[in-house]
Amino acid sequence: MRDYFDNLDVIEKNLKYLTDKHGDIYKAYENYGKLVHEKGGPLDEKTRWLIKVALSVDCQYPYALRTHIQKALKSGCTKEEIEHAMLLVAPTCGFPKMMQGLLILRHILGEDI
């Protein structure tokens, strides 16, 4: 887990490379995501971010999970709501995935690990 948090700058640099080299493609991708998120259906903002948190836990892509947790918090989700979304992942997708998600959540919130 330490490797992931130690390499966040590499991930940011790679995204900058993509946006510099393929900006139009990235903008189209980003716009698609925004349209699906905001106009794809009747779910409220908090629910949409909680779903994205759960999906990111299952996919085990820590950078996406970090981003989705931060956006969930900004949309008004509580730590308990985010944690509940993560706990729901365990029975279907696996206990270890859920545990890794909790570790990332606790790291973002500055809790002792």
Side-chain angles (χ1 to χ4, degrees), residues 14 38 40 43 45 52 54 57 65-66 86 90 102 105 110:
N14 197 37
E38 294 175 358
L43 297 175
E45 181 81 5
K52 288 183 175 189
V57 168
L65 178 55
R66 179 177 166 263
M86 290 179 173
L102 285 177
L105 173 62

Side-chain angles (χ1 to χ4, degrees), residues 29-87:
Y29 170 75
E30 194 174 37
N31 189 51
Y32 169 74
K34 183 178 178 180
L35 287 171
V36 169
H37 183 79
E38 294 175 358
K39 300 180 190 271
L43 297 175
D44 64 82
E45 181 81 5
K46 285 175 60 173
T47 301
R48 294 190 306 257
W49 285 118
L50 291 171
I51 289 170
K52 288 183 175 189
V53 164
L55 288 168
S56 295
V57 168
D58 179 40
C59 292
Q60 291 193 307
Y61 184 50
Y63 187 75
L65 178 55
R66 179 177 166 263
T67 300
H68 292 150
I69 289 170
Q70 291 170 334
K71 290 184 177 182
L73 290 167
K74 284 182 183 177
S75 76
C77 293
T78 64
K79 175 196 175 196
E80 293 76 20
E81 290 170 327
I82 295 169
E83 198 168 290
H84 187 196
M86 290 179 173
L87 291 171

